[in-house]
Amino acid sequence: MCGIMGYVGRQEAAPIIIDGLRRLEYRGYDSAGVAIHDGTGLAVTKAEGKLARLAAVLEEHPLAGTFGIGHTRWATHGVPSDRNAHPHTDPGGEIVVVHNGIIENFLVLKEALAAEGAEFASETDTEVLAHLIAHEYDGDLLEAVRRAVGKAQGAYALVAMAKAEPGRMVAVRMISPLVIGIGDGEMFLASDVPAILHHTRDIVVVDNGEMVDITPQGWRIETLAGVAVERDTLEINWDAAQAERGGYPHFMLKEIFEQPQAATETLSGRLLDDGSVELEDVHFPDGFVEALDKIWIAACGTALHAGHVGKEVFEHLLRIPTEAAFAHELRYRNPLIQGVTLTVAISQSGETADTLAAAGLAKRLDSRLLALTNVVGSTLSREADDILYTRAGPEIAVASTKAYLTMLLGEYLLALKIGRDRGVIPPALDEALVRGLRSLPTKIEEALKTEEEVVAVAGHFVGHEDVYFIGRGLDHAVAMEGSLKMKEISYIHSEAMPAGELKHGTLALVTEGTPVVVVLTQRDLYDKTVSAIQEVKARGAFVIAVAYEDDTEVLKHADEALRIPRVHDLLSPVLSIVPLQLLAYHVAAARGHDIDQPRNLAKSVTVE
Ligand code: G6P
C-alpha cells in the first residue's frame, strides 16, 4: 500500500502534490518523491523517511513546473531508501512512473530486460515498469502503457508521464484504488479522495482493469482492451478528516473493509499458476526443512493469536511439534530450543520489545529465525534469517484487524512451502488448500456482508459487563482473537476458552442473558461444541454462533447465527474472524468509545 498523487494544470505542481501526499501518509510513509515536468524536461526529487523530509529538500531546492506526479511509499520490494523511493524512471529519463501495489512477475520481466542490457538503479518492481513503458514508447504514452501493462501481472495502480508529452498523465488501475479529481483547467489523480478534496469535490472513480488519459483540459477512461468507458462524476461532501478514513467513521472499520484487498496482496505472486509457493525472502538452507524437529512461534497480543492458528495448521499439515508462546514468557523461560528448529516471530510492527527479545534468544540458541511481519525494514525483519511480509498496508487503528488476517495467510503459505519440501501434504489436500486460499479474497468480501446482522446482534452486548467466546481447535484460536477485539475497544470484560473447558469453572459465571459467542466451523468437533452450547443455554445464556452459510443445524442450538461462506475447515479462521471484528467494532461504537485509540493501549509496545 502506498499513496499516489498526480497534478496537471496551471499552478505550481510540487506544493499541490506534497499537500496531497500528506493526506495520503496513512497509506505509507517510509520514503517519498515527486517528478515535475516544467514543459521542457522532467526532474525527480526523492527522500527516505517521512514526507516532511522530502518537503524540506524541496524547500531548499524547489522544482518548478505545473505538471507532476508524487508518491509516499510503504515498501514491499526493496528496503526503504532514497534509491527505492518513487518516482522511478527508465535509464534515459524519458518515462517516469509512480506505482502502488505489486507486479508479481517483475523478476521475470527484470531478467528479460537485463538480458538485453538494461541496468537498474533500484530493487523495486516499479522501475521495471518504467523500463517496460520506455521500451514500448513511440510517441504515445497511452499506447506504450497499454502494451507494457499487458506484460505485467499483479494488483497495482500506476501513473506515468513522458518527457516528450508535457501535461499528459496516463494511469492504470488493477485492483489498487485510483480516483480522478476534476478542476477548472486542472486535473488530479490520487489513490484516495482526501488528497484532492481541498481542490475539488468532483471525483471520478476508476474501476479495475481501466486506463485513464488525462490532460489539464479533461479526462478519458477506457478499458485495457481500448473500449471507451462512460463514467459519472461523483460529488463528495465529506469533511477532510472523514475523507482520510475513506468515508468510514474510524480507521478500524476502514481496515476491516480493506481485508479483501490486503489478502489479495499477501497472496499476490506467491501461489504460482504451476502450483508452487514462492516466498521471496524465505531461503531455507538445503536439508533444513527435511531435518526440522520443532517450530516455535513467539509473539504478543493479536500476533500471538495468529500464532495459535499457525500452531494448529503447522501440526496438522506438517506433523511437526509446534509451540506458540508469549514472547515475554519465552524470553525468561530458559526454553528447550534445541535440535533443528525454526522460530517464527510474528509482529505487525516488527518492533515489539518482547518479541524482539524472544527472537534474539532463539537465535542465540541456534534456531533459524523467520520474521512474519507487516513492516518492511523493521528491526525484526533485519534480525531474521528469513522474512515473510504480510503486505497488509499501514494499520492505523490500535486494534489490529487486517494485519491479523494477513498473518494467517502468511502461515498457510509457509505451511504449504514446508509441507511440500517435506513431501507430507497429500496432493488432494494440497490442491484443496491452494484452491481455498485463492478463493479467500472474494469470500472475505462475502463475510463482510454480515455487518447488518452484526449491528442487530451488537445490541445484546451493549449493556453487559461480561461476555465469553468459545470454540474448539482452530475455532478456539479465533475465539481468543474475537475476545481480545471485544475487550480492547468495548471495555467489556471478555474471556475466551476452549468449549470443553467451560464446565470446569467459568460456567458458574453464566446467568440469564449472558452473551456467549461460539465459533462453530470445524466439522470434526461440531457435535462436541454443540454440547457446550447446550450447557450455557441451560443457564440462560444468549448464544451467537459464527457458522457456515450452509449450516442448517446451527439455529437449532444458537439464538443467532452470523454466516460465513463455506471454505476448507483449515482455512476457516480467515473468514470466521471477520464477523467477530465487526461485532467488537459495533459494540464499542454503540458504547460510544474512542475506537481507534482505546484507553491505556498503544499500537506498538517498544518497551518491556
Ligand atoms: C500491542 C497492540 C496489539 C498488538 C501487540 C503486538 O499490544 O496493542 O494490537 O497485537 O502490541 O504488536 P506487534 O506489532 O508485535 O504485532
Side-chain angles (χ1 to χ4, degrees):
M1 212 165 127
C2 302
I4 293 178
M5 170 82 185
Y7 173 81
V8 287
R10 293 174 296 224
Q11 304 184 61
E12 282 303 309
I16 292 176
I17 292 171
I18 293 292
D19 177 68
L21 293 179
R22 195 166 286 129
R23 295 167 209 283
L24 293 176
E25 254 193 314
Y26 76 87
R27 302 177 65 81
Y29 38 74
D30 60 41
S31 53
V34 292
I36 303 294
H37 201 309
D38 65 2
T40 52
L42 277 167
V44 177
T45 298
K46 36 199 197 178
E48 185 186 341
K50 294 207 169 166
L51 189 66
R53 268 209 62 216
L54 174 68
V57 175
L58 285 171
E59 205 142 286
E60 273 199 24
H61 309 284
L63 292 183
T66 64
F67 317 123
I69 56 179
H71 186 268
T72 178
R73 180 168 187 245
W74 192 80
T76 58
H77 286 74
V79 294
S81 65
D82 285 359
R83 230 157 48 89
N84 287 335
H86 299 212
H88 290 281
T89 63
D90 65 300
E94 297 297 322
I95 300 292
V96 65
V97 177
V98 290
H99 152 245
N100 159 207
I102 294 162
I103 306 298
E104 288 179 10
N105 58 338
F106 91 103
L107 263 183
V108 179
L109 297 170
K110 192 172 181 173
E111 279 160 14
L113 288 162
E116 290 177 21
E119 287 186 13
F120 293 87
S122 77
E123 299 149 67
T124 63
D125 47 351
T126 314
E127 193 188 356
V128 175
L129 283 176
H131 279 248
L132 271 184
I133 298 170
H135 208 76
E136 299 290 343
Y137 189 70
D138 58 7
D140 184 342
L141 184 59
L142 184 76
E143 294 312 319
V145 170
R146 193 194 314 276
R147 288 193 290 270
V149 299
K151 298 181 179 162
Q153 290 160 9
Y156 60 86
L158 73 85
V159 186
M161 290 195 311
K163 185 173 158 190
E165 293 180 83
R168 189 180 197 191
M169 294 190 284
V170 169
V172 178
R173 175 181 180 180
M174 293 296 292
I175 295 184
S176 302
L178 199 61
V179 294
I180 305 169
I182 304 169
D184 182 11
E186 56 184 3
M187 298 288 296
F188 307 81
L189 262 175
S191 299
D192 201 355
V193 173
I196 48 190
L197 208 53
H198 290 256
H199 304 283
T200 176
R201 289 182 174 268
D202 295 331
I203 303 289
V204 175
V205 178
V206 182
D207 272 344
N208 275 339
E210 291 180 348
M211 302 188 73
V212 184
D213 191 0
I214 286 192
T215 64
Q217 284 72 42
W219 57 278
R220 210 156 53 83
I221 298 184
E222 51 183 69
T223 64
L224 284 173
V227 180
V229 173
E230 297 279 316
R231 179 72 36 81
D232 290 339
T233 307
L234 295 176
E235 204 197 319
I236 304 285
N237 48 18
W238 309 330
D239 65 33
Q242 202 186 0
E244 259 152 60
R245 299 186 300 263
Y248 289 95
H250 298 97
F251 276 107
M252 182 182 174
L253 195 60
K254 177 168 190 271
E255 288 160 5
I256 290 173
F257 276 86
E258 279 170 354
Q259 291 181 121
Q261 195 196 334
T264 302
E265 293 198 8
T266 310
L267 298 174
S268 172
R270 288 169 166 173
L271 271 182
L272 305 187
D273 287 344
D274 65 3
S276 55
V277 180
E278 178 69 45
L279 302 180
E280 60 283 4
D281 296 309
V282 176
H283 304 289
F284 297 134
D286 284 349
F288 173 76
V289 163
E290 293 78 356
L292 200 51
D293 299 317
K294 172 144 185 175
I295 300 175
W296 288 84
I297 297 174
C300 304
T302 287
L304 181 58
H305 290 157
H308 287 298
V309 172
K311 172 193 159 65
E312 301 275 337
V313 170
F314 293 156
E315 291 196 336
H316 184 97
L317 286 179
L318 309 178
R319 307 306 295 157
I320 299 176
T322 304
E323 187 167 338
F326 290 111
H328 38 88
E329 287 288 307
L330 190 64
R331 64 183 290 194
Y332 294 120
R333 210 175 94 181
N334 193 11
L336 288 166
I337 298 180
Q338 57 196 14
V340 182
T341 62
L342 175 68
T343 300
V344 180
I346 310 180
S347 173
Q348 187 284 128
S349 61
E351 303 295 345
T352 299
D354 285 316
T355 306
L356 292 175
L361 172 66
K363 273 200 92 170
R364 286 197 299 284
L365 294 173
D366 286 333
S367 172
R368 194 170 175 88
L369 177 64
L370 185 147
L372 176 54
T373 181
N374 196 30
V375 178
V376 174
S378 56
T379 307
L380 184 62
S381 71
R382 291 200 304 271
E383 291 181 358
D385 303 302
D386 307 289
I387 317 168
L388 209 175
Y389 287 118
T390 49
R391 303 176 180 162
E395 197 177 57
I396 312 289
V398 167
S400 179
T401 52
K402 61 178 181 170
Y404 169 81
L405 186 141
T406 54
M407 285 167 185
L408 302 186
L409 295 178
E411 291 173 332
Y412 292 116
L413 290 171
L414 188 60
L416 274 180
K417 182 178 170 63
I418 297 176
R420 287 172 178 191
D421 289 355
R422 281 170 77 98
V424 291
I425 306 182
L429 176 57
D430 186 296
E431 200 195 304
L433 290 175
V434 169
R435 213 176 329 110
L437 279 168
R438 289 210 170 107
S439 74
L440 282 173
T442 314
K443 288 185 175 169
I444 299 165
E445 301 252 16
E446 286 296 308
L448 286 166
K449 293 185 186 153
T450 50
E451 193 179 18
E452 219 170 285
E453 289 106 294
V454 165
V455 171
V457 162
H460 292 287
F461 289 71
V462 177
H464 285 268
E465 293 309 324
D466 299 287
V467 303
Y468 302 95
F469 285 70
I470 60 172
R472 285 174 190 260
L474 280 169
D475 287 338
H476 170 235
V478 174
M480 283 195 271
E481 176 58 7
S483 169
L484 176 64
K485 288 290 87 77
M486 182 63 81
K487 73 177 115 185
E488 65 185 341
I489 57 171
S490 76
Y491 310 154
I492 295 175
H493 164 246
S494 174
E495 274 184 61
M497 72 207 69
E501 185 62 15
L502 257 180
K503 56 185 175 297
H504 297 296
T506 310
L507 201 53
L509 300 174
V510 174
T511 57
E512 196 58 39
T514 304
V516 175
V517 179
V518 185
V519 187
L520 192 60
T521 67
Q522 302 297 297
R523 194 173 333 179
D524 297 351
L525 303 164
Y526 193 94
D527 293 342
K528 301 286 167 202
T529 306
V530 164
S531 308
I533 298 180
Q534 272 148 9
E535 285 162 18
V536 291
K537 282 295 297 170
R539 274 85 189 171
F542 184 82
V543 176
I544 298 102
V546 176
Y548 290 129
E549 61 197 355
D550 57 1
D551 179 339
T552 52
E553 293 295 301
V554 58
L555 282 177
K556 295 182 185 155
H557 315 290
D559 296 286
E560 301 277 355
L562 300 171
R563 304 293 196 159
I564 55 168
R566 169 73 62 178
V567 73
H568 192 288
D569 278 2
L570 266 182
L571 302 176
S572 69
V574 178
L575 301 179
S576 56
I577 191 58
V578 173
L580 300 185
Q581 295 167 336
L582 288 167
L583 181 63
Y585 174 83
H586 283 289
V587 173
R591 285 167 68 107
H593 291 166
D594 183 350
I595 290 178
D596 285 336
Q597 292 179 327
R599 70 184 178 208
N600 307 341
L601 302 180
K603 181 77 186 149
S604 174
V605 183
T606 55
V607 292
E608 196 177 340

